[in-house]
Amino acid sequence: MPIRIVFHGELTGLLNNRGLSPEATRDLSRAAPVKDLIESQGVPHTEVGRITSEDLERSFSHVPAWGEIVEVHPHRPPVDVSIPSILFPEPFEEVGFVADANVARLGGLLRLAGFDCLLDPRWDDARIAEKAGGYKRILLTRDKELLKRNRVIRGRLVRSERPWDQLAEVIHFFGLSDRIDLFSRCPKCNVLLEGTEKSAVIDQLEPLTRMMYDRFTRCPGCGQIYWSGSHHGRIREKLAAALEQASKD
Ligand SMILES: [Zn+2]
């Protein structure tokens, strides 16, 4: 009697060899922790919200018996990473991210929206997974294999293609809309900006900026000076439009 794994909802779209076997049901003849069985079929464990068999909720380390039928369900957003669950018993006290290079622009937009996001295009997959696991950060990527690495605890396989849609997807998925703090963090260095007196930065301003603006912030990391110009309004509009769309999807 094989072990039967039944994938539900959006998880079916992540399965390997869908052309060969379009069914969302996979019969396996290998006894192993259910996490390994699920990932062997192409679904990273980070995408799984609930596992049940024999009317019981299961953890990733559960080893199914021969003939057992295991139901695998996706997350139901919003996913609050500070709440422990059977699958994710270690709560994350802070919401922080690591983005890999293929979603680098998303990383920059997260910082713009005030979220802590580590990002370095020089990091290889092992380093990224270590940053995510070691520092309890949510890994954001479009690479399924990266999410399957052992060190990774929480993550999200980013589905949207355009950076603003990706930002809205992440905010919506993790229920973070009330934590947005636009223009509070340096998009280049991920450091929180500090308020500064105009008189302290006046020498570094272009004449027009000096004339038109009175409120400034400064990055303690790179020294960049920021002010609230007309681009802020455009960014607010873009974010609002993307969030509205994400709430409809
Ligand atoms: Zn900076």
Side-chain angles (χ1 to χ4, degrees):
M1 286 272 275
I3 294 162
R4 174 163 288 187
I5 312 274
V6 185
F7 291 91
H8 291 272
E10 60 169 22
L11 297 181
T12 60
L14 303 178
L15 289 166
N16 292 335
N17 302 321
R18 277 193 294 150
L20 295 172
S21 161
E23 294 297 316
T25 297
R26 297 286 166 100
D27 288 338
L28 305 177
S29 52
R30 184 164 76 92
V34 70
K35 177 175 185 252
D36 297 351
L37 298 178
I38 289 168
E39 294 199 326
S40 73
Q41 301 307 301
V43 177
H45 75 278
T46 53
E47 307 309 292
V48 175
R50 202 161 64 92
I51 301 172
T52 56
S53 68
E54 299 169 331
D55 291 330
L56 290 172
E57 293 246 356
R58 303 295 194 180
S59 73
F60 283 125
S61 57
H62 171 65
V63 179
W66 299 113
E68 192 171 312
I69 299 170
V70 180
E71 313 275 344
V72 185
H73 301 267
H75 289 285
R76 285 168 55 183
V79 173
D80 184 342
V81 296
S82 70
I83 298 174
S85 64
I86 289 175
L87 288 186
F88 301 96
E90 284 183 83
F92 283 18
E93 278 155 32
E94 313 254 338
V95 174
F97 298 95
V98 185
D100 83 344
N102 64 21
V103 289
R105 286 194 61 204
L106 165 63
L109 291 181
L110 277 164
R111 291 171 177 179
L112 191 73
F115 297 103
D116 179 344
C117 184
L118 300 182
L119 168 67
D120 190 326
R122 294 166 299 182
W123 291 343
D124 63 10
D125 284 3
R127 187 89 183 269
I128 294 170
E130 182 55 38
K131 293 279 179 196
Y135 298 95
K136 286 194 174 179
R137 285 170 173 270
I138 299 165
L139 175 56
L140 302 174
T141 178
R142 286 171 62 78
D143 177 357
K144 284 203 297 184
E145 297 309 312
L146 182 51
L147 290 169
K148 291 182 190 170
R149 285 190 169 251
N150 273 339
R151 287 296 278 146
V152 177
I153 306 168
R154 290 276 197 176
R156 166 74 179 170
L157 184 70
V158 178
R159 310 304 209 273
S160 310
E161 296 195 352
R162 291 182 305 184
W164 281 98
D165 297 338
Q166 293 174 341
L167 176 65
E169 175 188 327
V170 169
I171 289 172
H172 181 68
F173 186 81
F174 292 103
L176 300 173
S177 53
D178 56 0
R179 298 215 206 170
I180 295 170
D181 191 4
L182 273 171
F183 317 117
S184 62
R185 193 177 287 272
C186 180
K188 287 181 209 148
C189 3
N190 198 38
V191 177
L192 286 173
L193 300 176
E194 292 171 348
T196 180
E197 292 295 322
K198 187 175 184 177
S199 58
V201 296
I202 199 154
D203 296 345
Q204 300 166 61
L205 304 175
E206 298 288 333
L208 206 61
T209 311
R210 198 181 296 180
M211 214 161 67
M212 288 178 67
Y213 301 104
D214 291 312
R215 292 166 65 102
F216 297 88
T217 53
R218 188 178 165 280
C219 172
C222 66
Q224 176 78 41
I225 295 155
Y226 296 93
W227 58 91
S228 171
S230 56
H231 62 288
H232 278 205
R234 285 198 298 276
I235 287 170
R236 280 182 213 284
E237 280 167 23
K238 267 192 154 169
L239 179 59
L243 285 172
E244 195 186 330
Q245 186 58 45
S247 67
K248 287 182 198 157
D249 290 344

